[in-house]
Every structure is written in C-alpha cells, then in structure tokens.
C-alpha cells in the first residue's frame, strides 16, 4: 500500500481494515487493543494493526479479538497496544513495530509470557 496522501486515503484504509477485523469479541479468550489516535497513526500504528491482523490470521489464531481505540495518552512510546487475556492484568506495550507485534503474539498470546522489555504499563489505564 502506498503512502497516505489525504484524509480520504486514511478513511479508505480504516474502512478496509475494519472490514477485516472481527469486531465482536464476546466469545474470545482475549483481545489486542491498538491505539489509533493521531500520535499512534503518525508513529506507524496502521502498519502495526495490519501486522497484528495478518499474523493472527497466518497462525490461525481465532480466539483473540483485535480492536481499535483512541489515544492511550502515551505519545512518546507509540505505537502502543494493550493485551488483555482473560482475567489477567492488562499489559500495555510501547514502540510496537510489526516485528515487535510478532514477538508479542508469539510470546504473550501463544505462550502466556509477558514481553518485559516492551511493557510500558500494567493494569488499567
Ligand atoms: S493523539 Fe494526542 S496524545 Fe495521542
């Protein structure tokens, strides 16, 4: 996909991404929330979101919902995502590039191990 040149381009990307996402998360084991505020998008949150959706799909992981949210207020560590698994304490990760997203999915989502070096906050915001 090329560079975003206008708000219209951005809205198109958002719509197509939303179509790909299963927004219903009621029967899921957990969810990944991607902060899509202005600061997150500027830092690459769109690529991170796409990578997360692609990796989950490649690995056949269907019990994790992917949802978007507004800004977490953590501008300096964007892109940020929050991982919630069952009743466990939520974990917010920062500087989540597509490569780091893969690490988080492999370790946290699949093995249940928090990726400590990327954690910016634990618990509710
Ligand atoms: S969009 Fe304002 S702090 Fe993130």
């Amino acid at each position: 996909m090329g560079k975003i040149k206008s708000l219209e381009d951005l809205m198109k990307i958002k719509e197509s991404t939303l179509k790909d996402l299963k927004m219903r998360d009621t029967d899921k084991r957990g969810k990944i929330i991607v902060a899509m505020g202005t600061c997150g998008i500027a830092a690459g949150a769109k690529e991170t979101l796409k990578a997360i959706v692609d990796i989950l799909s490649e690995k056949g992981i269907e019990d994790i919902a992917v949802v978007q949210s507004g800004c977490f207020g953590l501008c300096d560590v964007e892109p940020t995502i929050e991982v919630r698994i069952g009743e466990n304490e939520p974990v917010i990760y920062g500087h989540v590039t597509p490569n780091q997203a893969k690490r988080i999915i492999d370790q946290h989502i699949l093995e249940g191990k928090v990726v400590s070096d990327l954690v910016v906050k634990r618990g509710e915001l």
Side-chain angles (χ1 to χ4, degrees):
M1 184 171 294
K3 284 209 185 296
I4 300 170
K5 294 192 182 115
S6 66
L7 183 59
E8 201 180 315
D9 288 351
L10 186 61
M11 296 312 286
K12 271 189 211 153
I13 291 163
K14 187 177 173 190
E15 271 168 35
S16 72
T17 305
L18 280 174
K19 246 187 257 165
D20 292 343
L21 297 178
K22 293 194 183 104
M23 297 304 285
R24 290 177 50 114
D25 59 355
T26 44
D27 56 348
K28 306 284 186 182
R29 176 169 69 93
K31 66 179 162 184
I32 299 174
I33 304 164
V34 183
M36 296 290 280
T38 314
C39 57
I41 290 171
K46 180 178 67 71
E47 288 77 13
T48 299
L49 173 64
K50 182 173 186 319
I52 290 169
V53 170
D54 288 350
I55 295 164
L56 291 176
S57 157
E58 277 163 24
K59 292 181 181 283
I61 300 169
E62 294 180 350
D63 57 355
I64 299 293
V66 181
V67 298
Q68 301 179 53
S69 83
C71 178
F72 291 161
L74 300 167
C75 268
D76 51 332
V77 291
E78 296 289 346
T80 51
I81 69 170
E82 181 177 330
V83 174
R84 290 179 170 261
I85 305 289
E87 297 300 311
N88 296 344
E89 186 181 49
V91 177
I92 296 178
Y93 291 109
H95 300 297
V96 184
T97 61
N99 281 341
Q100 303 296 24
K102 183 172 184 313
R103 280 181 68 208
I104 292 166
I105 290 170
D106 285 342
Q107 289 182 43
H108 193 153
I109 301 296
L110 290 177
E111 295 175 22
K113 292 183 210 148
V114 171
V115 185
S116 307
D117 60 304
L118 297 177
V119 172
V120 292
K121 191 173 185 324
R122 287 174 183 247
E124 301 293 337
L125 268 177

